Amino acid sequence: MQKAVELNALQLTAKPSRRLINQALSDEQALSATFIGQHRAREALNFGLGIDAKGYNLYVMGEVATGRFTLVHEYIAKHVNSAPTPDDWCYINNFDDEREPFTLRLPAGESRKLSADLNSLVDELLDTFPAAFDNPGYQRKKANIKRQFEQRYEKAIAEVEVFAQRNSVALYEENGTISFSPIVNGKPITDEEFATASEQQRQQFYEIIVQLEEKLSEQLLELPQWKRETSEQGRALTRETAEQGIKPLLKELEHKYSGDLGILKFLRQLKPHLIETVIEVLGEENKDEKSEDFDRRTVLEEQYLPNILVSHELNGGAPVVYEPNPTYQNLFGRVEYTNVQGSVFTNYRMIRPGALHKANGGYLLLDADKMIQQPYVWEALKLVLKRGELKMDIQQHDIGMVNSVTLNPQSIPVKVKVVLLGSRDLYYTLQEYEDEFHELFRVLVDFDHEIPLDKDTLYDFVGRVRCHVKEMGLRGISAKAMYRLVEYSLRLAEHQHRLSARFADVIELLHEAQYFCAKQHSDELDVTHIEAALEAKTQRSGRISQALLDDIKEGQILIETDGDAVGKVNGLTVLEIGDSLFGTPARITSTVYVGANGVVDIEREVELGRSIHSKGVMLLTGYLGHKYAQLFPLTLSANIAIEQSYGQIDGDSASLAELVALLSALTLVPVKQGLAVTGSINQYGQVQSIGGVNEKIEGFFKLCAHRGLTGEQGVVIPKSNEVNLMLDKEVIQAVKAGHFHIYSVETVDQAAEILMGREAGALSPRARFPKGSINSLAVNRLSQIASIVNGADED
């Protein structure tokens, strides 16, 4: 049987090529590196951005800080330069129904020109009116209309006056009121004199006055009609004058935009409405009002100037829009409201664009995890992408404006490439539960969390670091510091041949190292600054790990690092609290006694062990049955516990330690307490890899180093985890000096031999284990328990 392997110092960390690093540090071409690795993601991005078909939007999947946003922007920038600049979009007033404003599509850059021209039109209108109504021709025509009315009125009165004089009655007109007075002896008499006249005279005058009043009524019967005709003639004159003043101004615009049917249609619809506005707002009667320029300009601008939603520079390329807060209004636009004399008011100029308007004809980047949490957004986005048009539906019920009058703007055709940046969990959830997701997002851009360490990626890594160091204002970085950064990235990836894709963590370390560089008044980063930054970070986030280690040192938590003990094994655990990740040993104990309860996981019984941990313990029964109970029923009672553990436990990395503790309790062979073990197992006794191997080894090493290294201490790990070793230099030096040992094992038997100091024993052709071996003792004890239990059952 193959034995466990003790690893040497060279196997405990990676050895990146110093020659390549030095070469990349001096090679100016390395500075052109914009990204590291991610070949699969690059190919997917090229495909997704290059294909021009409906439904080929992109979902960029991966962890944050892996450079997703950077790489997407880099590749989109290549397509932006070659893509045509999209058109401008405006909203203009619908003079027939102001609640449904029209859209106006213009070539790139033309919207600002149109707005400037219409602003000039407003200026010219303010200069022209009401000054045009002071024109002598207008005033002469206006006076003539008034004179015609007065002549007709005076003629009618004159006829009545002649009849009155014939009958000795005087006619008076004062303030538009006509009255009559009798004439006696050639002069009108007063009321007192009239009262002294005889009854016959009074009666005669009464009859004459009645006749006069009747005649006056007959003469002035058409007076209201005359006034109407006069008013109509006055309005017609005013309209004609306004139209004559407006006509050359609009004619100039129509000539300028003769090639744009949309603008021509708008100008033709504008003309009759503009005439009415000029008469009402800029008419002759308003010329003396205060604040005229401000008020009149505001009225004109609010009705005739375009509301520019999106405007582009000529030859500016396709827009790239990232919306960090993808709410409904931020994406699809909104209509603003104002308060006018206690009433809510809005119009087409208060429509505000959303990110989709701005990205129309280009690219829209969204954080998928944020977007999916916003109400109505996902359903509305699907509708836009399916229909190819953006209809601004206002969610009035959600903004407390149920009874308010709002707008119904005309929809806008949309052609946009949407790029969602999201997590893996969300992608698979949408794939499973959202039927239309694959139809709309056909391109998956999958970012790896690790990058293979080869010549190209090492060059790119060094180049990116050099670029960032220059951006930080430093002169450069030493070769030793660069080598340490590569080691740090390998440690983050927990792999000797793969860099971590989280380059943001490397940048974070550079900034922290710059602090120590500045303290030494240096302009070049050195390895001492990197080490100081790492030590400071460990110190800042190491309170909990230090507290646990102190508890072990003080005996509050029982962990032995020398001697032997039956049924007790030092397991290794990893704790992740916030941004702090550290390993710590944990005592695993087991007891075995006669019974038929099987292997009982105490953590599971008290609901501290979660599903994966419970699965690992249940595999022990499968291993025992397969390994030892081929000729008799597997019958035993055993308890397994992780001592002094008071929180939730998950993961199966303790299953190898739990099995060794169970074998020790079963065979009464003691386990070396100077060794700790980690690894998961399957039912056939093969040892499988686990996570956090570096932190686990270093956690046990710190305890052993505190108590004093004896040369007998060490850690047993799965052989498949050898490639994940990126250990601290202190551990490597101790292994090199023979003060600490690291063993790799492939099977339970190899681990048992190391930990229990006895041969495990291989099965002979006669299906027996060597006498005195661990496996032989286990078979004999299980057989005894089965006999006792089954014999008791028979009695």
Side-chain angles (χ1 to χ4, degrees):
M1 182 179 67
Q2 193 175 10
K3 301 295 182 180
V5 176
E6 182 176 357
L7 304 180
N8 59 48
L10 296 176
Q11 296 173 281
L12 303 183
T13 188
K15 294 294 181 183
S17 172
R18 293 184 182 273
R19 180 184 61 81
L20 277 177
I21 291 176
N22 291 332
Q23 186 177 342
L25 278 170
S26 58
D27 190 350
E28 291 302 313
Q29 290 186 354
L31 292 173
S32 62
T34 56
F35 209 77
I36 307 168
Q38 304 294 2
H39 299 294
R40 179 187 293 105
R42 290 172 185 247
E43 291 175 1
L45 274 172
N46 267 326
F47 172 77
L49 297 175
I51 189 169
D52 186 14
K54 189 175 181 180
Y56 281 86
N57 298 293
L58 294 81
Y59 188 99
V60 180
M61 180 172 71
E63 299 178 7
V64 295
T66 55
R68 299 177 305 174
F69 192 81
T70 304
L71 184 60
V72 168
H73 262 279
E74 174 192 334
Y75 272 69
I76 286 178
K78 297 177 183 177
H79 292 268
V80 164
N81 294 330
S82 59
T85 305
D87 293 332
D88 292 354
W89 285 96
C90 309
Y91 271 113
I92 54 176
N93 200 355
N94 179 356
F95 301 109
D96 296 329
D97 186 355
E98 293 188 353
R99 294 179 59 183
E100 298 188 358
F102 293 132
T103 57
L104 183 62
R105 184 174 190 166
L106 298 169
E110 291 297 316
S111 61
R112 290 195 181 97
K113 294 180 181 178
L114 176 62
S115 181
D117 288 338
L118 290 175
N119 251 316
S120 297
L121 174 63
V122 170
D123 292 337
E124 290 171 345
L125 287 171
L126 292 173
D127 293 339
T128 304
F129 302 98
F133 298 113
D134 293 333
N135 183 280
Y138 171 80
Q139 293 295 333
R140 194 164 48 247
K141 292 177 181 178
K142 182 179 178 182
N144 185 46
I145 293 172
K146 184 178 180 181
R147 187 165 54 251
Q148 289 177 1
F149 171 77
E150 291 174 348
Q151 287 174 352
R152 295 175 74 175
Y153 179 78
E154 290 172 356
K155 181 180 178 182
I157 297 300
E159 291 181 3
V160 175
E161 187 175 12
V162 169
F163 181 78
Q165 289 176 352
R166 287 177 187 167
N167 292 277
S168 300
V169 174
L171 184 146
Y172 295 95
E173 183 178 4
E174 186 176 0
N175 296 329
T177 302
I178 297 175
S179 61
F180 299 98
S181 175
I183 298 175
V184 178
N185 298 325
K187 64 176 183 178
I189 62 175
T190 64
D191 290 341
E192 291 78 7
E193 293 174 338
F194 182 75
T196 60
S198 64
E199 181 66 25
Q200 182 180 358
Q201 286 179 318
R202 289 201 302 270
Q203 185 63 37
Q204 183 181 357
F205 280 120
Y206 280 140
E207 291 175 357
I208 294 172
I209 289 173
V210 167
Q211 293 178 17
L212 286 171
E213 289 177 346
E214 289 176 354
K215 189 169 184 63
L216 180 63
S217 296
E218 291 175 1
Q219 291 294 325
L220 297 182
L221 184 64
E222 296 181 351
L223 181 64
Q225 182 178 348
W226 298 343
K227 288 185 176 180
R228 278 199 305 274
E229 291 175 354
T230 300
S231 297
E232 288 174 0
Q233 290 174 359
R235 284 195 295 270
L237 175 61
T238 303
R239 180 181 294 276
E240 181 185 355
T241 303
E243 188 172 356
Q244 289 176 350
I246 291 170
K247 187 176 181 180
L249 304 181
L250 290 181
K251 198 70 176 178
E252 184 180 349
L253 285 177
E254 289 175 352
H255 178 73
K256 182 174 183 178
Y257 292 100
S258 58
D260 195 313
L261 294 178
I263 297 178
L264 283 178
K265 183 179 178 181
F266 169 67
L267 292 175
R268 287 166 186 167
Q269 290 175 335
L270 175 147
K271 184 176 180 179
H273 191 274
L274 182 59
I275 292 172
E276 296 297 333
T277 303
V278 166
I279 294 172
E280 182 179 348
V281 179
L282 304 180
E284 187 180 17
E285 63 275 11
N286 297 320
K287 63 182 179 180
D288 296 327
E289 291 185 1
K290 295 181 180 180
S291 306
E292 56 178 282
D293 288 339
F294 173 78
D295 294 335
R296 292 169 181 176
R297 175 176 290 279
T298 301
V299 170
L300 294 173
E301 288 178 348
E302 289 298 311
Q303 294 188 77
Y304 304 119
L305 261 60
N307 176 12
I308 301 176
L309 283 188
V310 184
S311 179
H312 303 284
E313 296 292 338
L314 191 62
N315 301 323
V320 182
V321 178
Y322 169 65
E323 177 50 63
N325 183 25
T327 62
Y328 187 93
Q329 292 186 339
N330 287 352
L331 276 182
F332 304 101
R334 66 187 184 277
V335 176
E336 294 180 345
Y337 294 83
T338 187
N339 193 298
V340 178
Q341 296 180 352
S343 299
V344 176
F345 169 78
T346 188
N347 68 2
Y348 77 101
R349 284 180 56 81
M350 300 178 76
I351 300 173
R352 297 293 175 260
L356 268 168
H357 294 96
K358 299 172 185 175
N360 193 7
Y363 305 88
L364 175 63
L365 280 65
L366 300 173
D367 289 318
D369 296 81
K370 293 181 182 178
M371 179 204 67
I372 209 71
Q373 297 174 6
Q374 299 293 335
Y376 311 113
V377 168
W378 174 244
E379 293 299 326
L381 181 62
K382 287 194 303 180
L383 195 61
V384 170
L385 295 179
K386 285 191 295 184
R387 295 175 56 186
E389 64 178 21
L390 175 54
K391 179 73 173 176
M392 193 178 293
D393 295 319
I394 311 303
Q395 305 295 329
Q396 288 180 299
H397 293 277
D398 301 319
I399 57 178
M401 300 180 67
V402 178
N403 298 321
S404 299
V405 175
T406 187
L407 303 178
N408 184 27
Q410 191 177 10
S411 59
I412 294 177
V414 170
K415 184 179 182 183
V416 63
K417 183 83 73 172
V418 177
V419 181
L420 296 182
L421 297 95
S423 62
R424 297 180 184 277
D425 290 342
L426 178 59
Y427 175 78
Y428 294 125
T429 301
L430 290 172
Q431 281 277 20
E432 184 172 357
Y433 295 106
E434 177 53 72
D435 296 335
E436 297 172 315
F437 176 71
H438 180 69
E439 177 187 343
L440 299 174
F441 291 86
R442 299 179 185 273
V443 181
L444 172 64
V445 182
D446 192 358
F447 274 71
D448 294 323
H449 61 277
E450 295 173 353
I451 300 169
L453 179 62
D454 54 30
K455 179 180 178 180
D456 292 337
T457 54
L458 188 58
Y459 247 67
D460 290 343
F461 182 91
V462 174
R464 283 293 304 279
V465 171
R466 288 176 62 191
C467 288
H468 200 78
V469 167
K470 285 190 174 182
E471 291 173 4
M472 292 163 59
L474 296 174
R475 179 168 56 87
I477 181 171
S478 70
K480 289 184 178 179
M482 185 65 77
Y483 188 87
R484 185 67 182 91
L485 284 174
V486 174
E487 284 186 326
Y488 176 71
S489 184
L490 293 169
R491 170 64 182 257
L492 289 176
E494 286 194 298
H495 204 286
Q496 294 182 359
H497 310 300
R498 294 177 188 169
L499 294 167
S500 170
R502 292 177 57 91
F503 190 73
D505 293 336
V506 176
I507 293 176
E508 178 185 342
L509 179 58
L510 284 173
H511 283 287
E512 293 174 8
Q514 184 187 22
Y515 168 77
F516 295 96
C517 181
K519 287 183 68 175
Q520 295 182 2
H521 305 289
S522 173
D523 59 355
E524 182 181 45
L525 276 181
D526 194 18
V527 67
T528 55
H529 307 139
I530 302 291
E531 296 292 357
L534 288 171
E535 185 178 348
K537 187 171 185 177
T538 302
Q539 180 67 22
R540 290 195 304 271
S541 60
R543 186 189 65 81
I544 297 176
S545 61
Q546 187 61 44
L548 285 172
L549 183 60
D550 290 342
D551 288 344
I552 296 173
K553 293 175 183 178
E554 296 170 1
Q556 302 292 333
I557 298 176
L558 301 179
I559 300 290
E560 298 296 333
T561 55
D562 57 11
D564 300 327
V566 173
K568 299 177 182 177
V569 174
N570 290 327
L572 296 173
T573 63
V574 168
L575 298 178
E576 185 172 4
I577 303 173
D579 62 348
S580 178
L581 180 69
F582 58 91
T584 183
R587 172 173 284 186
I588 298 173
T589 62
S590 177
T591 57
V592 176
Y593 50 92
V594 175
N597 294 329
V599 178
V600 176
D601 176 16
I602 292 178
E603 312 298 327
R604 181 186 181 189
E605 294 300 315
V606 297
E607 298 182 352
L608 287 178
R610 295 187 177 179
S611 55
I612 298 178
H613 176 262
S614 299
K615 174 187 175 183
V617 176
M618 293 172 72
L619 286 173
L620 304 186
T621 302
Y623 173 79
L624 293 176
H626 170 74
K627 183 85 173 182
Y628 304 121
Q630 297 294 329
L631 303 177
F632 54 86
L634 179 63
T635 308
L636 83 161
S637 289
N639 289 339
I640 294 178
I642 299 178
E643 302 292 352
Q644 293 182 280
S645 171
Y646 308 106
Q648 297 283 351
I649 297 172
D650 202 8
D652 61 353
S653 64
S655 55
L656 176 58
E658 290 168 336
L659 180 55
V660 172
L662 181 59
L663 287 175
S664 175
L666 186 66
T667 62
L668 301 180
V669 176
V671 176
K672 297 177 182 178
Q673 300 301 290
L675 296 176
V677 61
T678 183
S680 67
I681 65 165
N682 60 26
Q683 295 185 90
Y684 292 95
Q686 295 172 311
V687 179
Q688 303 164 144
S689 63
I690 45 82
V693 63
N694 295 296
E695 289 79 10
K696 290 176 178 179
I697 294 173
E698 290 168 359
F700 188 66
F701 174 80
K702 287 179 183 178
L703 177 61
C704 295
H706 169 75
R707 291 179 173 175
L709 296 173
T710 63
E712 301 295 326
Q713 296 145 332
V715 173
V716 177
I717 64 169
K719 181 175 179 57
S720 52
N721 278 122
E722 288 182 13
V723 74
N724 304 117
L725 293 176
M726 287 295 301
L727 291 170
D728 187 76
K729 288 182 172 57
E730 191 177 354
V731 180
I732 296 173
Q733 291 299 326
V735 170
K736 191 174 183 179
H739 299 153
F740 196 76
H741 307 276
I742 297 176
Y743 305 94
S744 67
V745 296
E746 296 182 87
T747 64
V748 171
D749 286 346
Q750 292 176 2
E753 287 181 347
I754 292 290
L755 291 163
M756 300 169 72
R758 182 179 294 211
E759 182 185 0
L763 198 64
S764 70
R766 298 176 61 186
R768 293 184 180 180
F769 292 106
K771 187 175 182 180
S773 66
I774 296 172
N775 290 330
S776 174
L777 294 173
V779 169
N780 293 337
R781 180 74 190 282
L782 287 172
S783 177
Q784 291 172 4
I785 295 174
S787 298
I788 294 171
V789 173
N790 292 333
D793 291 342
E794 292 172 3
D795 292 340

